[in-house]
Amino acid sequence: MDNRDIISKFEQRKDNMLNILHAVQNNNPNNYLTTEDLKLVAEYLNTTYSSVYGVVKYYSMFSLKPRGKYVIRVCKSPLCHMMDGDNLMQEIKDIIGIGLGETTDDLMFSIESSECLGHCAHAPVMMINEKVYKNLDSFKIKNVFQSIKLNEQK
Ligand code: FES
């Protein structure tokens, strides 16, 4: 879908900026926002490019460079950290074969860390795109990536 069509579904209010940016980023198969996207949002909301750029730079869920089809965000906040989050992060890196902040050459996966994802009672937690995975352990992590691989082979 064209980004202009996506943006036009939102009311022209500045408090819609985050939702608009999310929708536009989600429309990009490589999960990022281009300079043209930011200009389009600024124009639609009748604001400056730099104010949109500032918002994008502030929030870690937005990216200005291409990322994988699957963006893995691992919570690094204290509770998840205490519940073995570091080891789980290492397992994910080993499975995918890249480090934190990196993207696979085939643009399938990116690994990022995140502040609290809001599901502390189920630590440790990660998100892959919009889906939350709770109470993680080695077994669950292996299953998650196994099912992604199977889905990709269909
Ligand atoms: S501390 Fe990890 S979800 Fe809150």
Coordinates of all heavy atoms in Angstrom, one line a residue, residues 29-94:
P29 N 9.0 -3.4 4.1 CA 9.4 -4.8 4.4 C 10.7 -4.8 5.1 O 11.0 -5.8 5.8 CB 9.6 -5.4 3.0 CG 9.5 -4.3 2.0 CD 8.9 -3.1 2.7
N30 N 11.5 -3.8 5.1 CA 12.8 -3.8 5.9 C 12.7 -2.9 7.2 O 13.7 -2.5 7.7 CB 13.9 -3.3 5.0 CG 14.2 -4.3 3.9 OD1 14.1 -4.0 2.7 ND2 14.5 -5.5 4.3
N31 N 11.4 -2.7 7.6 CA 11.2 -2.1 9.0 C 12.0 -0.9 9.3 O 12.6 -0.8 10.3 CB 11.6 -3.2 10.0 CG 10.5 -4.2 10.3 OD1 9.4 -3.8 10.5 ND2 10.8 -5.4 10.1
Y32 N 12.0 0.1 8.3 CA 12.7 1.3 8.7 C 11.9 2.5 8.0 O 11.0 2.3 7.1 CB 14.1 1.3 8.3 CG 14.5 1.4 6.8 CD1 15.1 2.6 6.4 CD2 14.2 0.4 5.9 CE1 15.5 2.7 5.0 CE2 14.5 0.6 4.6 CZ 15.2 1.7 4.1 OH 15.5 1.8 2.8
L33 N 12.3 3.7 8.3 CA 11.8 4.9 7.8 C 12.8 5.6 6.9 O 13.9 5.8 7.3 CB 11.3 5.9 8.9 CG 10.2 5.3 9.8 CD1 10.1 6.0 11.1 CD2 8.8 5.5 9.0
T34 N 12.4 6.1 5.8 CA 13.3 6.8 4.8 C 13.1 8.3 5.1 O 12.2 8.7 5.7 CB 12.9 6.5 3.4 OG1 11.6 7.0 3.1 CG2 13.0 5.0 3.1
T35 N 14.1 9.0 4.5 CA 14.0 10.5 4.5 C 12.7 11.0 3.9 O 12.0 11.9 4.4 CB 15.2 11.1 3.8 OG1 16.4 10.6 4.4 CG2 15.1 12.6 3.8
E36 N 12.3 10.3 2.8 CA 11.0 10.7 2.2 C 9.8 10.4 3.1 O 8.9 11.2 3.1 CB 10.8 9.9 0.9 CG 11.7 10.3 -0.3 CD 13.2 10.1 0.0 OE1 13.5 9.1 0.6 OE2 14.0 11.0 -0.4
D37 N 9.9 9.3 3.8 CA 8.8 9.0 4.8 C 8.6 10.2 5.8 O 7.5 10.6 6.1 CB 9.0 7.7 5.5 CG 9.0 6.5 4.6 OD1 8.4 6.5 3.6 OD2 9.6 5.5 5.0
L38 N 9.8 10.6 6.3 CA 9.7 11.6 7.4 C 9.2 13.0 6.8 O 8.4 13.7 7.4 CB 11.1 11.9 8.0 CG 11.5 11.0 9.2 CD1 11.4 9.5 8.9 CD2 12.9 11.3 9.7
K39 N 9.6 13.2 5.6 CA 9.1 14.5 4.9 C 7.6 14.4 4.7 O 6.9 15.4 4.9 CB 9.8 14.7 3.6 CG 11.2 15.1 3.7 CD 11.8 15.3 2.3 CE 13.3 15.7 2.4 NZ 14.0 15.5 1.1
L40 N 7.2 13.2 4.3 CA 5.7 13.0 4.0 C 4.9 13.2 5.3 O 3.9 13.9 5.3 CB 5.5 11.6 3.5 CG 4.3 11.3 2.7 CD1 4.2 12.1 1.5 CD2 4.3 9.8 2.3
V41 N 5.4 12.6 6.4 CA 4.7 12.8 7.7 C 4.7 14.2 8.2 O 3.7 14.8 8.6 CB 5.4 11.9 8.8 CG1 4.7 12.1 10.1 CG2 5.2 10.4 8.4
A42 N 5.9 14.9 8.0 CA 6.0 16.3 8.4 C 5.0 17.2 7.6 O 4.3 18.0 8.2 CB 7.4 16.8 8.2
E43 N 4.9 16.9 6.3 CA 4.0 17.7 5.4 C 2.6 17.4 5.9 O 1.8 18.4 6.0 CB 4.2 17.2 4.0 CG 3.4 17.9 3.0 CD 3.6 17.2 1.6 OE1 4.7 17.0 1.2 OE2 2.6 16.8 1.0
Y44 N 2.2 16.2 6.1 CA 0.8 15.8 6.5 C 0.4 16.4 7.8 O -0.7 16.9 7.9 CB 0.7 14.3 6.5 CG -0.7 13.8 6.8 CD1 -1.7 13.9 5.8 CD2 -1.1 13.3 8.0 CE1 -3.0 13.5 5.9 CE2 -2.4 12.8 8.2 CZ -3.3 13.0 7.2 OH -4.6 12.5 7.4
L45 N 1.4 16.5 8.7 CA 1.0 17.0 10.1 C 1.3 18.5 10.2 O 1.2 19.1 11.3 CB 1.8 16.2 11.2 CG 1.3 14.8 11.3 CD1 2.2 14.1 12.4 CD2 -0.2 14.6 11.6
N46 N 1.7 19.1 9.0 CA 2.0 20.5 9.0 C 3.1 20.9 10.1 O 2.9 21.8 10.8 CB 0.7 21.3 9.2 CG 0.9 22.8 8.8 OD1 1.8 23.1 7.9 ND2 0.1 23.6 9.3
T47 N 4.1 20.1 10.1 CA 5.2 20.4 11.1 C 6.5 20.3 10.3 O 6.6 20.1 9.1 CB 5.1 19.4 12.3 OG1 6.1 19.9 13.2 CG2 5.4 18.0 11.9
T48 N 7.6 20.5 11.0 CA 8.9 20.5 10.4 C 9.5 19.1 10.3 O 9.2 18.2 11.1 CB 9.9 21.4 11.2 OG1 10.1 20.8 12.5 CG2 9.4 22.8 11.3
Y49 N 10.4 18.9 9.3 CA 11.1 17.7 9.1 C 11.9 17.4 10.4 O 11.9 16.3 10.9 CB 12.1 17.8 7.9 CG 13.0 16.6 7.8 CD1 12.5 15.5 7.1 CD2 14.3 16.6 8.3 CE1 13.4 14.4 7.0 CE2 15.1 15.5 8.2 CZ 14.6 14.4 7.6 OH 15.5 13.3 7.4
S50 N 12.5 18.4 11.0 CA 13.4 18.2 12.1 C 12.6 17.7 13.4 O 13.1 17.0 14.2 CB 14.2 19.4 12.5 OG 13.4 20.5 12.8
S51 N 11.3 18.2 13.5 CA 10.5 17.7 14.6 C 10.2 16.2 14.5 O 10.2 15.4 15.4 CB 9.3 18.5 14.9 OG 8.4 18.4 13.9
V52 N 9.9 15.8 13.2 CA 9.6 14.4 13.0 C 10.9 13.5 13.2 O 10.9 12.5 13.8 CB 9.1 14.1 11.6 CG1 8.8 12.6 11.3 CG2 7.8 14.9 11.4
Y53 N 12.0 14.1 12.7 CA 13.3 13.4 12.8 C 13.6 13.2 14.3 O 14.1 12.2 14.7 CB 14.4 14.2 12.1 CG 15.8 13.6 12.2 CD1 16.2 12.7 11.3 CD2 16.7 14.0 13.2 CE1 17.4 12.1 11.3 CE2 18.0 13.5 13.3 CZ 18.3 12.5 12.3 OH 19.6 12.0 12.4
G54 N 13.4 14.3 15.1 CA 13.7 14.2 16.5 C 12.9 13.1 17.2 O 13.4 12.4 18.1
V55 N 11.6 12.9 16.8 CA 10.8 11.9 17.4 C 11.4 10.5 17.0 O 11.5 9.6 17.9 CB 9.3 12.0 17.0 CG1 8.5 10.8 17.3 CG2 8.7 13.2 17.6
V56 N 11.7 10.4 15.8 CA 12.2 9.1 15.3 C 13.5 8.7 16.0 O 13.7 7.5 16.3 CB 12.4 9.1 13.7 CG1 13.2 7.9 13.2 CG2 11.0 9.2 13.1
K57 N 14.4 9.7 16.2 CA 15.7 9.4 16.9 C 15.5 9.1 18.3 O 16.2 8.4 18.9 CB 16.6 10.6 16.7 CG 17.1 10.8 15.3 CD 18.0 9.7 14.8 CE 19.4 9.7 15.4 NZ 20.2 8.5 14.9
Y58 N 14.4 9.7 18.9 CA 14.2 9.5 20.4 C 13.7 8.1 20.7 O 14.2 7.5 21.7 CB 13.2 10.5 20.9 CG 12.9 10.4 22.4 CD1 13.8 10.9 23.3 CD2 11.8 9.7 22.8 CE1 13.6 10.8 24.7 CE2 11.5 9.6 24.2 CZ 12.4 10.2 25.1 OH 12.2 10.0 26.5
Y59 N 12.8 7.5 19.9 CA 12.2 6.2 20.2 C 13.0 5.1 19.5 O 13.1 5.1 18.3 CB 10.8 6.2 19.8 CG 9.9 7.0 20.6 CD1 9.5 8.3 20.2 CD2 9.5 6.6 21.9 CE1 8.7 9.1 21.0 CE2 8.7 7.4 22.7 CZ 8.3 8.6 22.2 OH 7.5 9.4 23.0
S60 N 13.5 4.1 20.3 CA 14.3 3.1 19.8 C 13.6 2.1 18.8 O 14.2 1.4 18.1 CB 15.0 2.3 20.9 OG 14.0 1.6 21.6
M61 N 12.2 2.2 18.9 CA 11.5 1.3 18.0 C 11.5 1.7 16.5 O 11.1 1.0 15.7 CB 10.1 1.0 18.5 CG 9.2 2.2 18.4 SD 9.3 3.1 20.0 CE 7.7 3.8 20.1
F62 N 12.0 3.0 16.3 CA 12.1 3.4 14.9 C 13.5 3.3 14.5 O 14.5 3.5 15.2 CB 11.6 4.9 14.8 CG 10.2 5.1 15.2 CD1 9.8 6.0 16.2 CD2 9.2 4.4 14.5 CE1 8.5 6.2 16.5 CE2 7.8 4.6 14.9 CZ 7.5 5.5 15.9
S63 N 13.6 3.0 13.2 CA 15.0 2.9 12.6 C 15.1 3.8 11.3 O 14.1 3.8 10.6 CB 15.3 1.5 12.3 OG 16.6 1.4 11.7
L64 N 16.2 4.3 11.1 CA 16.5 5.1 9.8 C 17.3 4.3 8.9 O 17.8 4.8 7.9 CB 17.1 6.4 10.2 CG 16.2 7.4 10.9 CD1 17.0 8.6 11.4 CD2 15.1 7.9 10.0
K65 N 17.6 3.0 9.2 CA 18.4 2.2 8.3 C 17.7 0.8 8.2 O 16.9 0.4 9.1 CB 19.8 2.0 8.8 CG 20.0 1.3 10.1 CD 21.4 1.2 10.5 CE 21.5 0.4 11.8 NZ 22.8 0.3 12.3
P66 N 17.9 0.1 7.1 CA 17.1 -1.1 6.8 C 17.4 -2.1 7.9 O 18.5 -2.3 8.4 CB 17.7 -1.6 5.5 CG 18.2 -0.4 4.8 CD 18.7 0.5 5.9
R67 N 16.3 -2.8 8.3 CA 16.5 -3.9 9.3 C 15.8 -5.2 8.7 O 15.2 -5.1 7.7 CB 15.7 -3.5 10.6 CG 16.3 -2.3 11.3 CD 15.7 -2.1 12.6 NE 14.3 -1.6 12.5 CZ 13.5 -1.2 13.5 NH1 13.9 -1.3 14.7 NH2 12.3 -0.8 13.2
G68 N 16.0 -6.2 9.5 CA 15.5 -7.5 9.0 C 13.9 -7.5 9.0 O 13.2 -6.7 9.6
K69 N 13.4 -8.5 8.3 CA 12.0 -8.7 8.2 C 11.5 -9.0 9.7 O 10.4 -8.6 10.0 CB 11.7 -9.9 7.3 CG 10.3 -10.3 7.2 CD 10.1 -11.5 6.3 CE 8.7 -12.0 6.2 NZ 8.6 -13.2 5.3
Y70 N 12.3 -9.7 10.5 CA 12.0 -9.9 11.9 C 12.9 -9.1 12.8 O 14.1 -9.4 12.8 CB 12.1 -11.4 12.2 CG 11.2 -12.3 11.4 CD1 11.7 -12.9 10.2 CD2 9.9 -12.5 11.8 CE1 10.9 -13.7 9.5 CE2 9.1 -13.3 11.0 CZ 9.6 -13.9 9.9 OH 8.7 -14.7 9.1
V71 N 12.4 -8.1 13.5 CA 13.1 -7.4 14.4 C 12.9 -7.9 15.8 O 11.8 -7.9 16.3 CB 12.7 -5.9 14.4 CG1 13.6 -5.1 15.4 CG2 13.0 -5.3 13.0
I72 N 14.0 -8.5 16.3 CA 14.0 -9.1 17.7 C 14.4 -8.1 18.7 O 15.5 -7.5 18.6 CB 14.9 -10.3 17.7 CG1 14.6 -11.3 16.6 CG2 14.9 -11.0 19.1 CD1 15.8 -12.1 16.1
R73 N 13.5 -7.8 19.7 CA 13.9 -6.8 20.7 C 13.9 -7.5 22.0 O 12.8 -8.0 22.5 CB 12.9 -5.7 20.6 CG 12.8 -5.0 19.2 CD 11.8 -3.9 19.1 NE 12.3 -2.8 19.8 CZ 11.6 -2.0 20.6 NH1 10.3 -2.3 20.8 NH2 12.1 -0.9 21.2
V74 N 15.0 -7.6 22.6 CA 15.2 -8.3 23.9 C 15.2 -7.3 25.1 O 16.0 -6.4 25.0 CB 16.5 -9.2 23.9 CG1 16.6 -10.0 25.2 CG2 16.5 -10.1 22.7
C75 N 14.4 -7.5 26.1 CA 14.3 -6.6 27.2 C 15.6 -6.7 28.0 O 16.1 -7.8 28.4 CB 13.1 -6.9 28.1 SG 13.1 -5.9 29.5
K76 N 16.2 -5.5 28.3 CA 17.4 -5.5 29.0 C 17.2 -4.8 30.4 O 18.2 -4.5 31.1 CB 18.5 -4.7 28.3 CG 18.1 -3.2 28.1 CD 19.3 -2.5 27.5 CE 18.9 -1.0 27.4 NZ 19.9 -0.1 26.8
S77 N 15.9 -4.6 30.8 CA 15.6 -3.9 32.0 C 15.9 -4.9 33.2 O 16.0 -6.1 33.0 CB 14.2 -3.4 32.0 OG 14.1 -2.3 31.1
P78 N 16.0 -4.3 34.4 CA 16.5 -5.1 35.6 C 15.8 -6.5 35.8 O 16.5 -7.5 36.0 CB 16.3 -4.2 36.8 CG 16.4 -2.8 36.2 CD 15.8 -2.9 34.8
L79 N 14.5 -6.5 35.7 CA 13.9 -7.8 36.1 C 14.2 -8.9 35.0 O 14.5 -10.0 35.4 CB 12.4 -7.6 36.2 CG 11.6 -8.6 36.9 CD1 12.2 -8.9 38.3 CD2 10.2 -8.3 37.1
C80 N 14.1 -8.5 33.8 CA 14.5 -9.5 32.7 C 16.0 -9.9 32.8 O 16.3 -11.0 32.6 CB 14.2 -9.0 31.3 SG 12.4 -9.0 31.0
H81 N 16.8 -8.9 33.2 CA 18.2 -9.1 33.3 C 18.4 -10.2 34.4 O 19.2 -11.1 34.3 CB 18.9 -7.8 33.7 CG 20.3 -7.9 34.0 ND1 21.3 -8.2 33.0 CD2 21.0 -7.9 35.2 CE1 22.5 -8.3 33.6 NE2 22.3 -8.1 34.9
M82 N 17.7 -10.0 35.6 CA 17.9 -10.9 36.7 C 17.4 -12.3 36.4 O 17.8 -13.3 37.0 CB 17.1 -10.4 37.9 CG 17.9 -9.3 38.7 SD 16.9 -8.5 40.0 CE 15.5 -9.4 40.2
M83 N 16.4 -12.4 35.5 CA 15.8 -13.7 35.1 C 16.5 -14.3 33.9 O 15.9 -14.9 33.1 CB 14.3 -13.5 34.8 CG 13.5 -13.0 36.0 SD 13.4 -14.1 37.4 CE 12.2 -15.3 36.8
D84 N 17.8 -14.1 33.9 CA 18.6 -14.8 32.9 C 18.6 -14.2 31.5 O 18.9 -14.8 30.5 CB 18.3 -16.3 32.8 CG 19.4 -17.2 32.4 OD1 20.6 -16.7 32.6 OD2 19.2 -18.2 31.9
G85 N 18.1 -12.9 31.4 CA 18.0 -12.3 30.1 C 19.3 -12.2 29.3 O 19.2 -12.4 28.1
D86 N 20.4 -12.1 30.0 CA 21.7 -12.0 29.2 C 22.0 -13.3 28.5 O 22.5 -13.3 27.4 CB 22.8 -11.6 30.2 CG 22.8 -10.2 30.6 OD1 21.9 -9.4 30.0 OD2 23.6 -9.8 31.5
N87 N 21.8 -14.4 29.2 CA 22.1 -15.7 28.6 C 21.1 -16.0 27.4 O 21.5 -16.5 26.4 CB 22.0 -16.8 29.6 CG 23.2 -16.9 30.5 OD1 24.3 -16.5 30.1 ND2 23.0 -17.3 31.7
L88 N 19.9 -15.5 27.6 CA 18.9 -15.7 26.5 C 19.3 -14.9 25.3 O 19.2 -15.3 24.2 CB 17.5 -15.4 27.0 CG 17.0 -16.4 28.1 CD1 15.7 -16.0 28.6 CD2 16.9 -17.8 27.5
M89 N 19.8 -13.7 25.6 CA 20.2 -12.8 24.5 C 21.4 -13.5 23.8 O 21.4 -13.5 22.5 CB 20.7 -11.5 25.0 CG 21.4 -10.6 24.0 SD 20.4 -9.9 22.7 CE 20.0 -8.3 23.4
Q90 N 22.3 -14.1 24.5 CA 23.4 -14.8 23.9 C 22.9 -16.0 23.0 O 23.4 -16.2 21.9 CB 24.4 -15.3 24.9 CG 25.7 -15.9 24.4 CD 26.4 -14.8 23.5 OE1 26.7 -13.7 23.8 NE2 26.7 -15.3 22.2
E91 N 21.9 -16.7 23.5 CA 21.4 -17.8 22.8 C 20.8 -17.4 21.4 O 21.0 -18.0 20.4 CB 20.3 -18.6 23.6 CG 20.9 -19.5 24.6 CD 19.9 -20.4 25.2 OE1 19.1 -21.0 24.5 OE2 19.9 -20.6 26.4
I92 N 20.1 -16.2 21.5 CA 19.5 -15.7 20.3 C 20.6 -15.3 19.3 O 20.5 -15.6 18.1 CB 18.6 -14.5 20.6 CG1 17.4 -15.0 21.4 CG2 18.1 -13.8 19.3 CD1 16.6 -13.9 22.1
K93 N 21.6 -14.7 19.8 CA 22.7 -14.3 18.9 C 23.3 -15.5 18.3 O 23.7 -15.5 17.1 CB 23.8 -13.5 19.7 CG 23.5 -12.2 20.2 CD 24.6 -11.7 21.0 CE 24.4 -10.4 21.7 NZ 25.5 -10.0 22.6
D94 N 23.5 -16.6 19.1 CA 24.1 -17.8 18.5 C 23.2 -18.5 17.5 O 23.7 -18.9 16.4 CB 24.4 -18.8 19.7 CG 25.4 -18.3 20.6 OD1 26.2 -17.4 20.2 OD2 25.5 -18.9 21.7

